[in-house]
Amino acid sequence: MSTRDSWRNSWGSGYGGGGLSFGGTSAWGAGGGDTIFRVLSRTSERQSKRRSGIISGFSEDGIYEEDDISVYSERDIPLPPISKAEDWALMPDVKNYAERGEKDHLKSKKLGITWKNLTVKGLGSDAAFNENVASQFNVPRNIKEGRQPPPLNTIIDDSHGCVKPGEMLLVLGRPGSGCTSLLKMLANRRNGYAQVEGDIHFGSMTAKEAGQYRGQIVMNTEEELFFPTLTVGQTMDFATRMKVPYHKFSDQHRDKDFQQEYRDFLLKAMGITHTSATKIGNEYVRGVSGGERKRVSIIETLATRGSVFCWDNSTRGLDASTALQYTKAIRAMTDVVGLSTVVSLYQAGNGIYNLFDKVLVLDEGKQIFYGPREQARPFMEELGFICGDGANVADFLTGVTVPTERSVRPGFETSFPRTATEIRDDYSRSDIKAIMGKEYSYPQTDEAKDNTKEFKEAVAWDKDKSLPKQSPLTVSFPKQVKACVVRQYQIVWGDKPTFIIKQVATLVQALVVGSLFYKSSTDSSGLFSKSGALFFSLLYQALMALSEVTDSFAGRPVLAKHKAFAFFHPAAFCIAQIAADIPVLLFQVSQFSLVLYFMVSLRLSASAFFIYWVTLLAIAMCITAVMRAIGAVFSTFDGATKLSGFWFSALITYTGYFIPKNRMHPWFVWIYWIDPLSYGFEILLANEVHGQTIPCVNSNLVPNGPGYTDSAFQSCAGVPGAIQGATTVTGDQYLQAFSYKHSHLWRNFGIIWAWWAFFVVVTIVATSNWKEMAGKSGFLVIPRENAKKNTQLLQNDEESQVKEKPASRGQLAPIDSSTSSMDEKTIENQLISNTSVFTWKNLTYTVKTPSGDRVLLDNVQGWVKPGMLGALMGSSGAGKTTLLDVLAQRKTEGTITGSVLVDGRPTTVSFQRSAGYCEQLDIHEPLATVREALEFSALLRQCGSVPKEEKLKYVDTIINLLEMQDIEHTLVGRTGAGLSVEQRKRLTIGVELVAKPSILIFLDEPTSGLDGQAAFNTLRFLRKLAAVGQAVLVTIHQPSALLFKEFDTLLLLARGGKTVYFGDIGVEASTLKDYFARNGAPCPQGVNPAEHMIDVVSGSASQGKDWNQIWLESPEHKEVSAEVDRINKEAAGKPPGTLDDGREFATTLWEQTKLVTHRMNVALFRNTDYINNKFALHVGSALFNGFTFWKIGSSVQELQLKLFTIFNFIFVAPGVINQLQPLFIDRRDIYEFREKKSKMYSWVAFVTGLIVSEFPYLCICAVLYFAPWYYTVGFTTDSDKAGATFFVMLFYEFIYTGIGQFVAAYAPNAVFASLVNPALITVLVSFCGVLVPYSQLQEFWRYWMYYLNPFNYLVSSILAFTVFDNVVQCDDHEFAVFNTPNSQTCAEYLAPYLAGLGARTNLVNPEATSGCRVCQYRYGSDYLSTLNIDDYDVGWRDAGIVVIFAISSYVMVYLFMKLRTKATKTAE
């Protein structure tokens, strides 16, 4: 074996086969090579072909050649170096590793991909309708549209190619051209596509055969999906632990040796070792920077140790230097290991482009070129296109079909191909296609078959022997579980606030409920309260489990990604969740039990307490499993919340507390048998009363009071199970009345665990079947009411396929294009110009961290003048976005020192709305159209004195300027369904422009995520703005040399927010190059100066120098300081360029409120998922409640059922609140992240809009609950009472919506809100007088909490209206039956009793002398008096108080929003 082959083989089996380990330090590092394709791929071919005397391949100039080399000897052919990364600092480690691989004779995992005639189709056209609340009920149209089969949209049309081991293919195409779909096909991810035709081979395996090797054929998608509370080190620990091979190097003995070495290597490879202990974070959790997060995503993919890698736009968000280092690292691995690598990139500089072997260009799904990289540019130039000097070749290749972006050689004006189809036809006739076609037989070659055989052996050698043969996983199941358990604990510990809230809430609840049922008596008066305490113990565990549904959806995308990487079996994750539950629930249940059990004075014996405790633990585990299963089974959060809310209500109702089992209707009694809580309640009740004798007292003993002391002439009344004539009841008699038995105790305990096991299995099965996101995406969404305005998007015109395309739908054409729809001079006149100068000096920004103060900006200074386009650059994490935030006054935390001046004066109150700020995240209301978003911004932010017509006319100007006419009536939508990344970016710029910013415009990463042409056009557009007098400051990550030319000045930052350079860039960057050349870092010929600068600041060209110190000591720094002072002094002596009107907002509060409320109304009207769920939950709950308590009679026990059916109405709230809060928080985030900071409108207008927009739907919801429920349960049909009940129910809708909104107003996120809800609702439910009647409430609570509880007034008022006049008719077993002494009549014997304590009882046989029959109540009013409802008028009084509570709950929303609203920081 040659040294070269041994290197590849050893890394192949180490990295992708038998173990990975490096000598001292480890890394792939930052080098790679372009020539390696010839080394590793061609060298072996040459060696085999030397035997036949033929070598063939592409020469350096791209000409295919076949040479007879039989005349040469082996030593006459100079072999190139193994890699361009020979000079890479870590190459010695790789060689050391290679030698170890050779020594152990490890096999390689070379595979390769070949595809032919690949056509992929997705469901749907380019646009889809968004129904609204009204249009969805247009049944005839729905039937008509439903009959038409969904149209198929061709995403990839007849693609073909071959990537052999050791080769790198670059896939180029504009957004929407099918690059991502092609990569998904090549990564063997076919889910979500309607139709896939053609052959794909991995080595010599078909796609189906390769399915069991999914962990070896991996894809890195554009999204960064992580658990935000884990640190970088923990994330990589987990990833590397899941891929430790069974057979390691002979000098490695422990799994940990391999795992740690591999992890450190990967962190070092991407230069993020320093972030190991930092949380990954997301939009809401502070963590690593965006660029660092992207690099974690890259190394997590590398941790799979795969054989085929597909990288989808993996340089997005990376600075130019890091992007180049990433590509070199991938190049080096591909060369040495023999990987097959496919990469799609949007803005590929020439440095990156030159590292690839082959290029494939897609245009609207058509493959217009595939061949050697060296041949791509000459091929297009031969067709008549010109690639300008210094232009990015990748951008040139994707722009040839766009009239506004291509340049045509003189003489080719009439003959050049104008469409993708024509270029594809030219390619089909070329020699390149014929030559490349020879590779498509690769899967049938001996080389491919040998590689595949060796690949399978290497994978089997890697795999733990305990795993099934077909398993794609690497480590054994116990190790998977162990790693998942460790990670689960890290997730819990990383999110300590949530964990602490849960435990504190549990303790508080236990104390509150313990005090509510404090020292319940052991006689009949304590039976009801003890039952209530036991029921509440179960209820609280169920409420705490509800948040599992929200959690399930939060982690799902990460789990789907890890499943695709073959890290672990879903069962391992489910078992890990259970393992992590055990200690948390043990602690939760123990503290709850210890407090509540002894405060309530439940049965004082060790065995009884243990049974209570272990039952609660089993129930907590079981209901957690139930909610997890619901989360796992549903694909959407809305669907899961709908079922979990309804199922929760069913579990509570059929526990056996509200309705005894023998009172349940046959059609719903099955719910009792499948309800784990019902088994738990039977255990707890049997455990408490078994073997006890319970004396009847107070109202339960008839007669009682003075003179009635002989138990022979008394009887129990209203105590289930009591024998008529007896004055005591045994515990077992009491249980028998509910069809319970003490002997069922351990049987039920076993059934609870059986249900737990069942739901765990359901969760595992559902989790195993989770699919990745569907393939259909990238379509526009049209509101149904705007259908007529969007006809051009809905026409499927075949002819349009062959026409030349504009800059693409909704994309910006260059400003000077002939297609511009407005006269350029007109636009210039309408665009606002600016005369203000903006300066900042000695700007320092410090934030507090756990480890002390951290400086993010360090004495930064500079200026932006009218007509100037300034670039703000630096490596990832250098503080570029932070500086923009500070300058635009968007920070609410930390300390800012220094000066920020406009025209030499401090910024005024109107500064934030006078300066435009386009943030990096394109945050918009998803259910608004493009035009609505622009008009909203214009109407609110342009000066109030400007007429409305003029504001709207300016919106037309900006729509034309941004070339958005054909998408102006489509919804913004969300990623995948709505505007594309580029169209969103365009809208973000438009929203700021329509506000007519009068000072300057800040843009944060406006080109991130765009392809080269779109980025260039965006910059050309900004250049245009600067030309008419605007001041523009832009942060930018990866500018090509062409983009960089557009800027006038550069502010370059190093890590820690330290300045490295500020000043003019100069023609062809001459001034900038000169500065760095003088300081020892000259820019090499032909290198993009922008990439060189970043490299100097943070990359390999830094030479270990402190460039910030060099800047501070330079003459340029002194000149900048002096110039800032001069500008400020000069500007301060003149009148200000921008007049301040002294107002924080441009429009009045009334105008803001009208506009915001209108927008919220429209958004809710279009949000059919949300509204339908609301309606469905009400109708479903009402029917369920109505039929559960079907036609209630008028016995004593049925009076209690009337109380419980009304009480049940309260429980419509949790489900709706859980659904309402994420929507509120989404809206709040849009407001806080963008609209509040640009002073668009006041928080008062925001809250008013959100509250008012719900009103119409709440009124409908009240009707939808009232109608199916009120008459079904058999309440009175008197219109005055029915109307009064509806009135109270309507205002309850407002109360719980207000409660949900005020919790959401202050909650940091939706998960936090979902944890607060149970605590709040259980307190309100506990003190409303149902679980514990008013007379039995502890005095501490009775005189304040009871009266402050809206649920109390809700239940009281409805009870008064529906029960007060009822005539009570006792069932036989409900009568107290006893004899009289001395042959007295019943009336005579009971006279004192009926005049006193028994005044509300009903003696039905006064003349009898034995067997007196006394019913506890005569009328409903007698029963209500025990609930503190003494008069019918109390109902109307309480109804009025319900209205007051509805108003006060909305006042709380304003209050909490005000408390949350922080002032932004300004420089001190």
Side-chain angles (χ1 to χ4, degrees):
M1 185 190 286
S2 71
T3 307
R4 191 164 31 258
D5 288 338
S6 74
W7 281 7
R8 176 190 270 179
N9 288 352
S10 56
W11 196 319
S13 55
Y15 166 78
L20 182 101
S21 181
F22 301 82
T25 51
S26 330
W28 320 123
D34 174 28
T35 52
I36 298 74
F37 171 51
R38 298 173 191 84
V39 181
L40 295 161
S41 184
R42 236 171 269 157
T43 301
S44 59
E45 287 170 27
R46 286 175 189 247
Q47 286 169 345
S48 63
K49 289 184 180 179
R50 282 189 187 106
R51 288 190 288 275
S52 60
I54 297 291
I55 277 189
S56 62
F58 287 97
S59 66
E60 280 301 312
D61 55 1
I63 299 165
Y64 191 80
E65 53 187 24
E66 291 195 349
D67 299 331
D68 186 332
I69 59 156
S70 54
V71 295
Y72 299 129
S73 69
E74 174 124 3
R75 67 173 178 270
D76 293 326
I77 304 170
L79 289 173
I82 182 70
S83 172
K84 276 187 180 173
E86 272 300 340
D87 58 346
W88 180 30
L90 295 166
M91 200 55 162
D93 297 341
V94 182
K95 288 182 177 176
N96 172 280
Y97 165 74
E99 286 159 10
R100 291 159 75 190
E102 186 178 358
K103 189 177 95 178
D104 289 349
H105 305 292
L106 298 173
K107 295 192 175 184
S108 68
K109 291 202 281 187
K110 295 175 281 184
L111 210 50
I113 331 167
T114 311
W115 66 102
K116 286 189 297 188
N117 311 322
L118 180 63
T119 298
V120 180
K121 294 182 179 179
L123 286 176
S125 58
D126 290 341
F129 281 118
N130 180 82
E131 301 295 349
N132 56 50
V133 173
S135 73
Q136 65 179 333
F137 297 114
N138 186 335
V139 178
R141 190 194 58 229
N142 293 344
I143 292 171
K144 182 184 167 190
E145 289 182 358
R147 282 178 176 167
Q148 297 168 351
L152 288 182
N153 178 36
T154 302
I155 300 169
I156 297 169
D157 185 9
D158 192 24
S159 175
H160 43 82
C162 177
V163 184
K164 294 178 186 173
E167 290 186 352
M168 282 178 73
L169 169 70
L170 175 61
V171 178
L172 295 172
R174 311 193 61 175
S177 62
C179 296
T180 300
S181 292
L182 178 60
L183 262 64
K184 281 186 174 180
M185 290 300 112
L186 301 185
N188 214 12
R189 294 185 178 192
R190 298 182 170 213
N191 284 335
Y193 293 97
Q195 202 173 307
V196 179
E197 297 168 357
D199 299 322
I200 304 180
H201 282 85
F202 299 89
S204 62
M205 294 183 288
T206 63
K208 191 172 181 181
E209 292 168 338
Q212 73 177 84
Y213 297 103
R214 69 164 185 264
Q216 296 297 316
I217 302 165
V218 292
M219 177 172 176
N220 177 252
T221 59
E222 219 172 333
E223 300 87 29
E224 290 118 40
L225 305 169
F226 296 106
F227 290 109
T229 56
L230 292 183
T231 65
V232 172
Q234 288 166 346
T235 302
M236 291 312 301
D237 262 339
F238 179 78
T240 47
R241 207 173 274 149
M242 293 289 92
K243 289 291 182 176
V244 175
Y246 185 71
H247 294 99
K248 293 170 282 296
F249 278 136
S250 53
D251 59 355
Q252 282 181 331
H253 305 293
R254 298 184 310 156
D255 288 354
K256 202 168 184 182
D257 298 339
F258 173 91
Q259 182 261 323
Q260 288 182 345
E261 212 165 345
Y262 189 24
R263 177 202 63 199
D264 295 343
F265 164 73
L266 289 170
L267 290 169
K268 205 166 180 182
M270 284 292 132
I272 49 172
T273 309
H274 63 281
T275 67
S276 186
T278 310
K279 282 185 183 177
I280 289 186
N282 59 14
E283 313 92 275
Y284 313 114
V285 178
R286 184 187 287 179
V288 296
S289 72
E292 287 164 343
R293 196 175 303 124
K294 173 55 80 176
R295 284 182 266 174
V296 178
S297 170
I298 289 167
I299 61 173
E300 188 188 40
T301 307
L302 291 175
T304 59
R305 298 169 55 247
S307 304
V308 173
F309 283 92
C310 295
W311 304 90
D312 188 17
N313 198 17
S314 296
T315 60
R316 179 180 172 184
L318 300 183
D319 61 75
S321 173
T322 309
L324 183 60
Q325 296 307 319
Y326 149 75
T327 315
K328 284 183 175 178
I330 301 297
R331 174 79 260 180
M333 284 185 292
T334 302
D335 294 336
V336 180
V337 186
L339 305 179
S340 302
T341 303
V342 185
V343 184
S344 77
L345 297 175
Y346 279 161
Q347 295 182 47
N350 288 340
I352 292 173
Y353 177 80
N354 290 332
L355 289 169
F356 287 86
D357 303 309
K358 295 175 179 175
V359 172
L360 187 153
V361 185
L362 285 176
D363 194 286
E364 292 186 343
K366 298 177 180 68
Q367 186 169 306
I368 61 174
F369 178 83
Y370 163 69
R373 170 187 48 81
E374 301 91 333
Q375 283 288 74
R377 177 175 171 174
F379 170 76
M380 293 298 182
E381 287 179 331
E382 282 169 22
L383 297 181
F385 302 109
I386 300 172
C387 181
D389 292 337
N392 280 354
V393 179
D395 294 346
F396 159 69
L397 294 175
T398 55
V400 292
T401 58
V402 185
T404 53
E405 289 166 10
R406 63 189 175 208
S407 301
V408 180
R409 263 213 319 257
F412 283 81
E413 290 87 347
T414 55
S415 60
F416 76 93
R418 286 165 167 72
T419 65
T421 307
E422 289 177 18
I423 298 176
R424 182 167 69 172
D425 292 344
D426 282 327
Y427 170 73
S428 298
R429 292 189 290 269
S430 70
D431 292 342
I432 298 172
K433 176 160 189 196
I435 293 163
M436 299 312 288
K438 293 180 181 178
E439 295 186 329
Y440 303 156
S441 59
Y442 177 74
Q444 286 78 47
T445 63
D446 291 341
E447 182 189 348
K449 289 173 183 173
D450 293 344
N451 281 345
T452 307
K453 184 185 173 198
E454 200 169 306
F455 164 83
K456 289 178 178 178
E457 290 169 359
V459 171
W461 186 249
D462 255 12
K463 198 159 60 176
D464 193 282
K465 298 306 172 199
S466 63
L467 293 171
K469 278 190 175 181
Q470 300 297 313
S471 171
L473 308 174
T474 305
V475 299
S476 66
F477 189 72
K479 286 179 182 175
Q480 295 169 36
V481 172
K482 183 184 173 188
C484 288
V485 168
V486 170
R487 182 179 68 170
Q488 207 59 31
Y489 282 127
Q490 289 168 340
I491 290 170
V492 171
W493 190 243
D495 190 13
K496 285 192 282 289
T498 303
F499 174 74
I500 292 165
I501 286 160
K502 267 188 176 180
Q503 302 316 318
V504 170
T506 301
L507 181 60
V508 170
Q509 282 296 323
L511 288 166
V512 168
V513 177
S515 64
L516 180 69
F517 299 101
Y518 187 63
K519 290 195 173 174
S520 292
S521 61
T522 54
D523 52 36
S524 65
S525 63
L527 275 177
F528 186 68
S529 59
K530 280 187 176 178
S531 297
L534 297 175
F535 169 72
F536 188 87
S537 302
L538 299 173
L539 172 69
Y540 185 72
Q541 309 310 321
L543 272 169
M544 289 304 281
L546 262 180
S547 64
E548 287 298 328
V549 178
T550 312
D551 286 351
S552 168
F553 284 86
R556 181 174 296 193
V558 185
L559 300 174
K561 176 179 77 170
H562 286 171
K563 183 186 169 189
F565 285 170
F567 277 171
F568 53 82
H569 192 280
F573 170 73
C574 296
I575 291 167
Q577 276 191 312
I578 294 161
D581 286 342
I582 291 168
V584 174
L585 290 178
L586 269 174
F587 182 75
Q588 182 177 305
V589 168
S590 297
Q591 62 162 340
F592 183 86
S593 302
L594 284 166
V595 172
L596 188 134
Y597 194 88
F598 296 105
M599 283 183 77
V600 177
S601 291
L602 295 174
R603 192 171 190 169
L604 292 175
S605 79
S607 62
F609 173 74
F610 172 76
I611 290 169
Y612 172 85
W613 173 82
V614 80
T615 304
L616 285 197
L617 182 63
I619 286 293
M621 294 285 285
C622 188
I623 303 300
T624 300
V626 171
M627 294 306 167
R628 245 179 225 151
I630 290 172
V633 166
F634 278 83
S635 58
T636 66
F637 178 69
D638 280 340
T641 47
K642 205 186 298 180
L643 182 69
S644 64
F646 186 72
W647 186 235
F648 176 79
S649 176
L651 291 181
I652 297 305
T653 307
Y654 282 84
T655 300
Y657 174 71
F658 288 162
I659 319 175
K661 178 179 168 290
N662 49 15
R663 286 267 178 179
M664 292 176 185
H665 284 288
W667 53 64
F668 277 156
V669 74
W670 57 271
I671 298 175
Y672 173 85
W673 295 113
I674 64 166
D675 181 356
L677 294 182
S678 68
Y679 297 98
F681 189 63
E682 183 176 359
I683 292 173
L684 296 183
L685 198 59
N687 180 51
E688 181 58 32
V689 302
H690 170 65
Q692 302 217 15
T693 301
I694 302 150
C696 296
V697 296
N698 303 334
S699 63
N700 295 131
L701 185 63
V702 178
N704 69 60
Y708 299 101
T709 55
D710 190 345
S711 61
F713 305 107
Q714 292 174 306
S715 177
C716 290
V719 180
I723 298 169
Q724 290 178 333
T727 57
T728 61
V729 61
T730 67
D732 291 302
Q733 287 171 339
Y734 183 71
L735 291 174
Q736 187 64 44
F738 299 109
S739 306
Y740 291 164
K741 288 183 181 175
H742 181 260
S743 59
H744 290 170
L745 197 148
W746 293 111
R747 179 205 73 173
N748 287 3
F749 186 70
I751 291 171
I752 292 169
W753 284 110
W755 278 120
W756 171 82
F758 171 75
F759 286 113
V760 167
V761 170
V762 169
T763 308
I764 290 171
V765 171
T767 308
S768 302
N769 290 322
W770 277 352
K771 299 282 191 287
E772 298 154 54
M773 292 299 288
K776 173 62 185 152
S777 65
F779 55 92
L780 295 169
V781 183
I782 300 163
R784 177 63 79 173
E785 64 271 26
N786 284 3
K788 290 178 182 172
K789 299 176 183 175
N790 280 292
T791 47
Q792 81 281 3
L793 292 179
L794 297 165
Q795 288 167 348
N796 290 322
D797 180 10
E798 290 301 319
E799 290 301 310
S800 66
Q801 299 293 311
V802 297
K803 293 177 184 172
E804 289 188 13
K805 59 185 171 190
S808 105
R809 181 170 296 146
Q811 256 174 244
L812 180 71
I815 298 305
D816 55 358
S817 81
S818 58
T819 60
S820 183
S821 52
M822 291 186 77
D823 177 63
E824 213 171 298
K825 262 298 180 234
T826 313
I827 292 175
E828 268 187 39
N829 294 339
Q830 287 190 321
L831 283 175
I832 192 165
S833 63
N834 165 33
T835 56
S836 294
V837 183
F838 184 72
T839 63
W840 59 97
K841 188 173 183 185
N842 300 334
L843 205 56
T844 300
Y845 177 56
T846 312
V847 292
K848 295 199 179 297
T849 67
S851 54
D853 286 356
R854 185 175 168 196
V855 177
L856 297 182
L857 295 174
D858 190 0
N859 281 310
V860 183
Q861 55 189 352
W863 63 80
V864 188
K865 297 177 181 176
M868 176 178 134
L869 182 58
L872 173 53
M873 290 176 64
S875 60
S876 297
K880 302 182 291 296
T881 301
T882 304
L883 176 58
L884 279 198
D885 283 346
V886 168
L887 292 178
Q889 294 184 2
R890 300 295 167 102
K891 290 292 185 191
T892 54
E893 307 287 343
T895 308
I896 303 167
T897 57
S899 66
V900 178
L901 305 176
V902 177
D903 292 327
R905 300 165 177 82
T907 55
T908 60
V909 72
S910 64
F911 171 74
Q912 280 171 270
R913 66 178 166 85
S914 304
Y917 187 10
C918 302
E919 299 201 40
Q920 190 170 349
L921 298 170
D922 303 309
I923 300 171
H924 300 283
E925 167 56 61
L927 289 163
T929 65
V930 169
R931 175 171 279 279
E932 286 164 359
L934 294 171
E935 288 181 351
F936 185 71
S937 179
L939 292 170
L940 282 169
R941 285 181 62 189
Q942 285 190 33
C943 187
S945 58
V946 178
K948 182 179 178 180
E949 295 71 26
E950 195 176 315
K951 291 180 182 179
L952 297 180
K953 191 178 174 190
Y954 191 66
V955 170
D956 292 332
T957 303
I958 298 300
I959 285 175
N960 287 320
L961 184 67
L962 294 170
E963 298 278 337
M964 295 203 294
Q965 300 93 324
D966 54 349
I967 57 165
E968 63 177 305
H969 297 297
T970 64
L971 293 182
V972 174
R974 300 190 184 277
T975 311
L979 302 186
S980 68
V981 172
E982 192 229 9
Q983 289 162 345
R984 276 168 203 278
K985 193 64 71 180
R986 190 93 51 235
L987 177 61
T988 303
I989 296 171
V991 162
E992 294 303 318
L993 286 182
V994 292
K996 289 193 174 179
S998 55
I999 296 176
L1000 82 162
I1001 299 174
F1002 300 102
L1003 297 103
D1004 190 15
E1005 298 290 350
T1007 61
S1008 192
L1010 306 187
D1011 67 303
Q1013 279 81 19
F1016 180 64
N1017 291 334
T1018 304
L1019 255 291
R1020 288 276 296 269
F1021 171 63
L1022 296 177
R1023 178 78 265 167
K1024 185 75 183 173
L1025 286 178
V1028 297
Q1030 267 293 2
V1032 185
L1033 182 61
V1034 182
T1035 67
I1036 194 156
H1037 254 146
Q1038 297 178 34
S1040 64
L1042 213 56
L1043 289 187
F1044 195 56
K1045 280 182 189 174
E1046 298 291 326
F1047 291 101
D1048 302 312
T1049 61
L1050 170 69
L1051 172 53
L1052 188 58
L1053 295 179
R1055 182 170 285 280
K1058 298 177 186 293
T1059 308
V1060 172
Y1061 179 83
F1062 176 76
D1064 289 343
I1065 292 172
V1067 179
E1068 300 292 332
S1070 54
T1071 312
L1072 187 62
K1073 287 178 180 174
D1074 177 57
Y1075 170 78
F1076 280 99
R1078 276 191 286 113
N1079 290 290
C1083 182
Q1085 193 67 34
V1087 171
N1088 177 356
E1091 291 179 12
H1092 175 67
M1093 300 315 139
I1094 300 293
D1095 214 18
V1096 166
V1097 176
S1098 61
S1100 55
S1102 64
Q1103 304 167 14
K1105 294 182 179 180
D1106 183 347
W1107 286 95
N1108 171 243
Q1109 196 56 41
I1110 292 170
W1111 166 252
L1112 293 175
E1113 293 167 1
S1114 69
E1116 284 86 352
H1117 172 250
K1118 295 182 180 65
E1119 288 168 17
V1120 167
S1121 300
E1123 180 65 8
V1124 170
D1125 292 337
R1126 188 194 66 74
I1127 290 170
N1128 287 339
K1129 188 175 179 183
E1130 189 178 298
K1134 296 178 184 174
T1138 308
L1139 292 172
D1140 177 42
D1141 57 10
R1143 290 165 59 179
E1144 188 178 10
F1145 303 103
T1147 51
T1148 62
L1149 182 59
W1150 173 242
E1151 193 64 28
Q1152 293 168 38
T1153 306
K1154 279 198 305 184
L1155 288 165
V1156 174
T1157 305
H1158 175 70
R1159 179 173 77 160
M1160 300 289 187
N1161 278 333
V1162 171
L1164 266 193
F1165 185 60
R1166 291 173 180 159
N1167 194 347
T1168 50
D1169 277 352
Y1170 173 74
I1171 298 298
N1172 289 350
N1173 272 355
K1174 217 181 185 68
F1175 290 169
L1177 202 57
H1178 278 79
V1179 173
S1181 299
L1183 289 170
F1184 181 71
N1185 193 1
F1187 283 103
T1188 294
F1189 297 93
W1190 171 259
K1191 299 294 180 191
I1192 303 172
S1194 52
S1195 68
V1196 171
Q1197 197 164 11
E1198 284 170 321
L1199 285 176
Q1200 200 160 28
L1201 293 186
K1202 288 183 179 179
L1203 168 66
F1204 282 139
T1205 187
I1206 294 166
F1207 182 60
N1208 225 20
F1209 169 53
I1210 287 175
F1211 289 97
V1212 76
V1216 182
I1217 287 174
N1218 274 356
Q1219 186 203 357
L1220 168 154
Q1221 287 174 332
L1223 183 76
F1224 186 102
I1225 290 168
D1226 276 354
R1227 295 273 162 74
R1228 189 194 68 193
D1229 289 343
I1230 293 169
Y1231 171 67
E1232 289 189 335
F1233 281 97
R1234 187 170 63 81
E1235 294 168 342
K1236 183 185 91 172
K1237 291 174 179 176
S1238 57
K1239 299 293 180 189
M1240 203 181 257
Y1241 53 89
S1242 161
W1243 64 271
V1244 176
F1246 168 74
V1247 173
T1248 307
L1250 267 176
I1251 289 173
V1252 173
S1253 61
E1254 290 272 3
F1255 283 176
Y1257 305 104
L1258 294 178
C1259 295
I1260 296 170
C1261 283
V1263 174
L1264 291 177
Y1265 199 102
F1266 175 81
W1269 169 69
Y1270 185 86
Y1271 299 103
T1272 318
V1273 294
F1275 284 144
T1276 174
T1277 53
D1278 293 356
S1279 57
D1280 59 332
K1281 289 168 182 169
T1285 303
F1286 174 73
F1287 175 80
V1288 176
M1289 290 174 70
L1290 172 63
F1291 276 90
Y1292 176 60
E1293 295 286 335
F1294 298 142
I1295 286 175
Y1296 78 71
T1297 302
I1299 290 171
Q1301 288 182 332
F1302 81 64
V1303 169
Y1306 201 71
N1309 54 52
V1311 174
F1312 182 95
S1314 71
L1315 290 172
V1316 173
N1317 297 334
L1320 192 60
I1321 286 168
T1322 45
V1323 167
L1324 294 176
V1325 163
S1326 304
F1327 294 99
C1328 70
V1330 175
L1331 295 180
V1332 182
Y1334 174 77
S1335 58
Q1336 292 180 28
L1337 276 173
Q1338 297 297 322
E1339 287 189 10
F1340 174 75
W1341 298 117
R1342 192 188 304 166
Y1343 296 118
W1344 68 283
M1345 184 60 95
Y1346 176 79
Y1347 290 106
L1348 286 177
N1349 189 342
F1351 290 5
N1352 158 33
Y1353 300 100
L1354 168 77
V1355 174
S1356 296
S1357 54
I1358 298 179
L1359 274 173
F1361 296 139
T1362 56
V1363 176
F1364 199 86
D1365 296 336
N1366 292 181
V1367 176
V1368 179
Q1369 294 174 333
C1370 273
D1371 289 343
D1372 271 353
H1373 67 86
E1374 290 176 339
F1375 283 104
V1377 180
F1378 49 89
N1379 296 323
T1380 62
N1382 307 323
S1383 302
Q1384 290 175 290
T1385 65
C1386 295
E1388 289 168 349
Y1389 173 59
L1390 293 174
Y1393 174 70
L1394 293 173
L1397 291 174
R1400 292 184 180 274
T1401 58
N1402 183 18
L1403 173 62
V1404 295
N1405 55 346
E1407 300 305 319
T1409 55
S1410 65
C1412 301
R1413 295 166 68 83
V1414 178
C1415 184
Q1416 258 187 304
Y1417 308 115
R1418 297 165 301 161
Y1419 303 102
S1421 56
D1422 298 328
Y1423 169 66
L1424 295 184
S1425 67
T1426 66
L1427 299 175
N1428 199 32
I1429 303 169
D1430 297 320
D1431 195 350
Y1432 182 78
D1433 291 340
V1434 168
W1436 281 110
R1437 180 202 72 184
D1438 289 353
I1441 295 172
V1442 166
V1443 174
I1444 293 168
F1445 269 107
I1447 295 166
S1448 64
S1449 70
Y1450 284 128
V1451 169
M1452 295 288 279
V1453 186
Y1454 286 97
L1455 177 66
F1456 278 105
M1457 197 67 199
K1458 173 61 180 169
L1459 289 173
R1460 187 182 166 82
T1461 305
K1462 297 177 183 176
T1464 50
K1465 296 277 182 179
T1466 53
E1468 297 170 5

